[in-house]
Amino acid sequence: MSPTINPEAVVNEVFSLYEKHGDEDYIGEPVSQLEHMSQAARLAEEEGYDDEVILAAFFHDIGHLCAGAGQTESMDGMGNMDHEKLGADYLLAHGFSERIAELVQAHVIAKRYLTYRYAEYYNKLSPASKVTLEFQGGMMSPEEAAAFEQKPDLDLIIRLRYWDDMAKETDVAVNNIGHLKMLALDHLTNRAANKV
């Protein structure tokens, strides 16, 4: 981590994205961006995963929030093209771990994999998710799937994808933001202390 990174300032900047854009429509889904990402983090925590995984679940769609105007193409109004890479790059630049960034970047390719591997997975996708799948490269080829299956965090990447799919419930209170801020602050502070 760069010694110039101030964990508290970073957390304030990152979470200000959610304050500014979190109430926006989540690309055709019945929940807002903030509701979606809050629910994904809650699902990860309820299943007993560690702080990095919980943060990755919360940050998985941050690429929709951090892209500047004109920085990326739109998927016909369904969010930003390459939002997974934008988000991963943003998090790395702000001192978050490579593990968090890799999980964020992998959540789109996991959808492509699951639609290849399981026909019923495609049928369960929301209409909006089916539209974005086409912009994201569509179903994987057998060769891509074989390479993807070699990833060391394969099971975790797929689990995060399922949280992404499940985190679209209406009327669920967003009451974990303060807790997530503390997880992010602890994560960055520990990395700074260890000069990672």
Side-chain angles (χ1 to χ4, degrees):
M1 173 184 280
S2 166
T4 60
I5 288 180
N6 176 322
E8 193 168 331
V10 169
V11 169
N12 288 338
E13 177 187 331
V14 170
F15 280 80
S16 74
L17 294 172
Y18 291 88
E19 292 164 11
K20 290 177 191 168
H21 307 292
D23 288 334
E24 292 174 6
D25 174 59
Y26 173 55
I27 57 169
E29 302 289 0
V31 291
S32 69
Q33 296 273 5
L34 182 61
E35 288 170 324
H36 172 63
M37 290 187 262
S38 165
Q39 288 177 35
R42 180 175 287 111
L43 289 165
E45 188 151 21
E46 286 173 352
E47 292 185 23
Y49 284 88
D50 63 63
D51 292 355
E52 283 188 313
V53 176
I54 296 164
L55 288 169
F58 182 66
F59 291 142
H60 76 274
D61 274 342
I62 199 170
H64 289 308
L65 308 182
C66 69
Q71 185 178 343
T72 183
E73 293 180 53
S74 168
M75 295 182 288
D76 273 358
M78 296 286 190
N80 295 324
M81 287 284 287
D82 299 322
H83 74 278
E84 69 282 11
K85 181 171 183 348
L86 289 170
D89 290 348
Y90 177 86
L91 292 167
L92 284 174
H94 286 77
F96 289 90
S97 70
E98 287 188 15
R99 184 179 183 222
I100 290 176
E102 287 169 3
L103 290 170
V104 166
Q105 184 151 356
H107 80 278
V108 166
I109 197 169
K111 177 168 70 168
R112 296 185 59 226
Y113 171 76
L114 289 168
T115 56
Y116 163 79
R117 181 61 65 204
Y118 308 106
E120 67 274 16
Y121 178 82
Y122 178 83
N123 296 330
K124 290 179 182 176
L125 288 176
S126 68
S129 202
K130 287 177 180 174
V131 170
T132 58
L133 175 65
E134 296 312 309
F135 284 96
Q136 294 160 342
M139 185 185 301
M140 274 188 179
S141 68
E143 295 76 20
E144 287 174 312
F148 181 72
E149 287 169 347
Q150 302 308 307
K151 287 188 171 289
D153 276 336
L154 177 67
D155 292 342
L156 183 52
I157 291 166
I158 290 172
R159 195 73 210 129
L160 192 147
R161 180 69 229 175
Y162 281 119
W163 297 327
D164 187 2
D165 294 330
M166 293 162 60
K168 298 172 184 179
E169 297 295 320
T170 56
D171 301 318
V172 175
V174 176
N175 55 14
N176 58 350
I177 303 306
H179 171 62
L180 293 166
K181 279 185 177 180
M182 289 306 302
L183 294 185
L185 185 60
D186 288 348
H187 172 78
L188 293 171
T189 301
N190 289 337
R191 285 174 58 75
N194 294 317
K195 296 183 172 54
V196 176

Short mmCIF file of all heavy atoms in Angstrom, two decimals, residues 49-76:
data_model
loop_
_atom_site.label_atom_id
_atom_site.label_comp_id
_atom_site.label_asym_id
_atom_site.label_seq_id
_atom_site.Cartn_x
_atom_site.Cartn_y
_atom_site.Cartn_z
N TYR A 49 -18.30 -15.80 6.17
CA TYR A 49 -17.07 -15.50 5.46
C TYR A 49 -16.29 -14.38 6.13
O TYR A 49 -16.83 -13.62 6.93
CB TYR A 49 -17.37 -15.17 4.00
CG TYR A 49 -17.67 -16.41 3.19
CD1 TYR A 49 -18.97 -16.91 3.10
CD2 TYR A 49 -16.65 -17.11 2.56
CE1 TYR A 49 -19.24 -18.08 2.39
CE2 TYR A 49 -16.91 -18.28 1.85
CZ TYR A 49 -18.21 -18.75 1.77
OH TYR A 49 -18.47 -19.90 1.07
N ASP A 50 -15.00 -14.29 5.79
CA ASP A 50 -14.13 -13.30 6.43
C ASP A 50 -14.38 -11.90 5.87
O ASP A 50 -15.12 -11.71 4.90
CB ASP A 50 -12.66 -13.71 6.28
CG ASP A 50 -12.20 -13.76 4.82
OD1 ASP A 50 -12.20 -12.70 4.15
OD2 ASP A 50 -11.84 -14.85 4.34
N ASP A 51 -13.73 -10.92 6.50
CA ASP A 51 -13.98 -9.51 6.19
C ASP A 51 -13.68 -9.17 4.73
O ASP A 51 -14.41 -8.37 4.12
CB ASP A 51 -13.16 -8.60 7.11
CG ASP A 51 -13.61 -8.67 8.56
OD1 ASP A 51 -14.62 -9.35 8.84
OD2 ASP A 51 -12.96 -8.02 9.41
N GLU A 52 -12.62 -9.74 4.17
CA GLU A 52 -12.30 -9.43 2.77
C GLU A 52 -13.42 -9.88 1.84
O GLU A 52 -13.77 -9.18 0.90
CB GLU A 52 -10.98 -10.09 2.36
CG GLU A 52 -9.75 -9.38 2.87
CD GLU A 52 -8.48 -9.95 2.28
OE1 GLU A 52 -8.34 -11.20 2.26
OE2 GLU A 52 -7.63 -9.16 1.84
N VAL A 53 -13.97 -11.03 2.10
CA VAL A 53 -15.04 -11.55 1.26
C VAL A 53 -16.31 -10.70 1.43
O VAL A 53 -17.00 -10.38 0.45
CB VAL A 53 -15.32 -13.04 1.57
CG1 VAL A 53 -16.50 -13.55 0.77
CG2 VAL A 53 -14.07 -13.88 1.29
N ILE A 54 -16.61 -10.32 2.66
CA ILE A 54 -17.77 -9.45 2.92
C ILE A 54 -17.61 -8.13 2.19
O ILE A 54 -18.55 -7.64 1.54
CB ILE A 54 -17.95 -9.23 4.44
CG1 ILE A 54 -18.26 -10.55 5.14
CG2 ILE A 54 -19.03 -8.18 4.71
CD1 ILE A 54 -18.08 -10.50 6.64
N LEU A 55 -16.41 -7.56 2.25
CA LEU A 55 -16.15 -6.29 1.55
C LEU A 55 -16.24 -6.48 0.03
O LEU A 55 -16.80 -5.64 -0.68
CB LEU A 55 -14.79 -5.72 1.94
CG LEU A 55 -14.71 -5.15 3.35
CD1 LEU A 55 -13.27 -4.86 3.74
CD2 LEU A 55 -15.58 -3.90 3.50
N ALA A 56 -15.72 -7.59 -0.47
CA ALA A 56 -15.82 -7.85 -1.92
C ALA A 56 -17.28 -7.96 -2.34
O ALA A 56 -17.67 -7.43 -3.40
CB ALA A 56 -15.07 -9.13 -2.28
N ALA A 57 -18.09 -8.60 -1.52
CA ALA A 57 -19.52 -8.71 -1.85
C ALA A 57 -20.17 -7.32 -1.87
O ALA A 57 -20.99 -7.02 -2.74
CB ALA A 57 -20.22 -9.61 -0.83
N PHE A 58 -19.78 -6.47 -0.93
CA PHE A 58 -20.34 -5.11 -0.90
C PHE A 58 -19.84 -4.28 -2.07
O PHE A 58 -20.61 -3.52 -2.68
CB PHE A 58 -19.98 -4.42 0.42
CG PHE A 58 -20.56 -3.04 0.54
CD1 PHE A 58 -21.93 -2.84 0.61
CD2 PHE A 58 -19.74 -1.93 0.57
CE1 PHE A 58 -22.47 -1.56 0.70
CE2 PHE A 58 -20.27 -0.65 0.67
CZ PHE A 58 -21.64 -0.47 0.74
N PHE A 59 -18.57 -4.42 -2.42
CA PHE A 59 -17.97 -3.60 -3.47
C PHE A 59 -18.14 -4.17 -4.88
O PHE A 59 -17.66 -3.57 -5.84
CB PHE A 59 -16.47 -3.44 -3.21
CG PHE A 59 -16.11 -2.61 -2.01
CD1 PHE A 59 -15.02 -2.97 -1.22
CD2 PHE A 59 -16.82 -1.47 -1.68
CE1 PHE A 59 -14.66 -2.21 -0.11
CE2 PHE A 59 -16.47 -0.70 -0.58
CZ PHE A 59 -15.38 -1.07 0.22
N HIS A 60 -18.80 -5.33 -5.04
CA HIS A 60 -18.72 -6.02 -6.32
C HIS A 60 -19.22 -5.18 -7.50
O HIS A 60 -18.74 -5.34 -8.61
CB HIS A 60 -19.44 -7.38 -6.28
CG HIS A 60 -20.92 -7.31 -6.33
ND1 HIS A 60 -21.71 -7.14 -5.22
CD2 HIS A 60 -21.78 -7.38 -7.38
CE1 HIS A 60 -22.98 -7.12 -5.57
NE2 HIS A 60 -23.05 -7.27 -6.88
N ASP A 61 -20.15 -4.27 -7.27
CA ASP A 61 -20.65 -3.44 -8.37
C ASP A 61 -20.20 -1.98 -8.26
O ASP A 61 -20.80 -1.10 -8.89
CB ASP A 61 -22.19 -3.49 -8.40
CG ASP A 61 -22.71 -4.68 -9.20
OD1 ASP A 61 -21.96 -5.25 -10.00
OD2 ASP A 61 -23.90 -5.02 -9.03
N ILE A 62 -19.14 -1.71 -7.51
CA ILE A 62 -18.71 -0.33 -7.33
C ILE A 62 -18.29 0.31 -8.65
O ILE A 62 -18.30 1.53 -8.80
CB ILE A 62 -17.57 -0.23 -6.28
CG1 ILE A 62 -17.46 1.20 -5.75
CG2 ILE A 62 -16.26 -0.78 -6.82
CD1 ILE A 62 -16.55 1.34 -4.54
N GLY A 63 -17.96 -0.51 -9.64
CA GLY A 63 -17.62 0.02 -10.96
C GLY A 63 -18.75 0.77 -11.62
O GLY A 63 -18.53 1.61 -12.50
N HIS A 64 -19.99 0.50 -11.20
CA HIS A 64 -21.13 1.28 -11.71
C HIS A 64 -21.16 2.67 -11.08
O HIS A 64 -21.76 3.59 -11.63
CB HIS A 64 -22.45 0.57 -11.40
CG HIS A 64 -22.70 -0.67 -12.20
ND1 HIS A 64 -22.61 -0.71 -13.58
CD2 HIS A 64 -23.03 -1.92 -11.81
CE1 HIS A 64 -22.89 -1.93 -14.00
NE2 HIS A 64 -23.14 -2.68 -12.96
N LEU A 65 -20.53 2.81 -9.91
CA LEU A 65 -20.59 4.06 -9.17
C LEU A 65 -19.37 4.95 -9.37
O LEU A 65 -19.48 6.17 -9.29
CB LEU A 65 -20.74 3.78 -7.66
CG LEU A 65 -21.85 2.84 -7.22
CD1 LEU A 65 -21.88 2.73 -5.70
CD2 LEU A 65 -23.21 3.28 -7.75
N CYS A 66 -18.20 4.34 -9.60
CA CYS A 66 -16.97 5.12 -9.61
C CYS A 66 -16.55 5.60 -10.99
O CYS A 66 -15.64 6.42 -11.10
CB CYS A 66 -15.82 4.31 -8.98
SG CYS A 66 -15.28 2.89 -9.94
N ALA A 67 -17.20 5.13 -12.04
CA ALA A 67 -16.81 5.53 -13.39
C ALA A 67 -17.22 6.98 -13.63
O ALA A 67 -18.35 7.37 -13.38
CB ALA A 67 -17.47 4.63 -14.43
N GLY A 68 -16.26 7.76 -14.12
CA GLY A 68 -16.56 9.14 -14.45
C GLY A 68 -17.37 9.22 -15.74
O GLY A 68 -17.44 8.27 -16.52
N ALA A 69 -17.99 10.36 -15.95
CA ALA A 69 -18.80 10.56 -17.16
C ALA A 69 -17.95 10.33 -18.40
O ALA A 69 -16.86 10.87 -18.52
CB ALA A 69 -19.39 11.97 -17.16
N GLY A 70 -18.46 9.50 -19.30
CA GLY A 70 -17.77 9.24 -20.55
C GLY A 70 -16.60 8.28 -20.42
O GLY A 70 -15.91 8.01 -21.40
N GLN A 71 -16.34 7.77 -19.22
CA GLN A 71 -15.19 6.88 -19.02
C GLN A 71 -15.43 5.50 -19.62
O GLN A 71 -14.50 4.81 -20.00
CB GLN A 71 -14.89 6.75 -17.52
CG GLN A 71 -13.64 5.95 -17.20
CD GLN A 71 -13.36 5.88 -15.71
OE1 GLN A 71 -13.89 6.66 -14.93
NE2 GLN A 71 -12.53 4.93 -15.32
N THR A 72 -16.68 5.10 -19.72
CA THR A 72 -16.99 3.76 -20.20
C THR A 72 -18.31 3.77 -20.95
O THR A 72 -19.13 4.66 -20.77
CB THR A 72 -17.05 2.76 -19.03
OG1 THR A 72 -17.27 1.45 -19.54
CG2 THR A 72 -18.15 3.12 -18.05
N GLU A 73 -18.49 2.77 -21.79
CA GLU A 73 -19.75 2.64 -22.53
C GLU A 73 -20.84 2.07 -21.62
O GLU A 73 -20.56 1.33 -20.69
CB GLU A 73 -19.56 1.69 -23.72
CG GLU A 73 -18.65 2.21 -24.80
CD GLU A 73 -18.52 1.21 -25.92
OE1 GLU A 73 -19.57 0.77 -26.44
OE2 GLU A 73 -17.39 0.85 -26.26
N SER A 74 -22.06 2.40 -21.97
CA SER A 74 -23.21 1.87 -21.24
C SER A 74 -23.70 0.59 -21.92
O SER A 74 -23.54 0.43 -23.13
CB SER A 74 -24.34 2.90 -21.23
OG SER A 74 -25.54 2.32 -20.78
N MET A 75 -24.28 -0.29 -21.12
CA MET A 75 -24.89 -1.50 -21.67
C MET A 75 -26.38 -1.21 -21.91
O MET A 75 -27.24 -1.74 -21.22
CB MET A 75 -24.71 -2.68 -20.69
CG MET A 75 -23.28 -3.09 -20.49
SD MET A 75 -23.07 -4.52 -19.38
CE MET A 75 -23.45 -3.81 -17.78
N ASP A 76 -26.66 -0.34 -22.87
CA ASP A 76 -28.04 0.06 -23.18
C ASP A 76 -28.80 0.49 -21.92
O ASP A 76 -29.93 0.09 -21.68
CB ASP A 76 -28.81 -1.10 -23.85
CG ASP A 76 -28.62 -1.09 -25.36
OD1 ASP A 76 -27.93 -0.18 -25.86
OD2 ASP A 76 -29.16 -1.99 -26.01
#
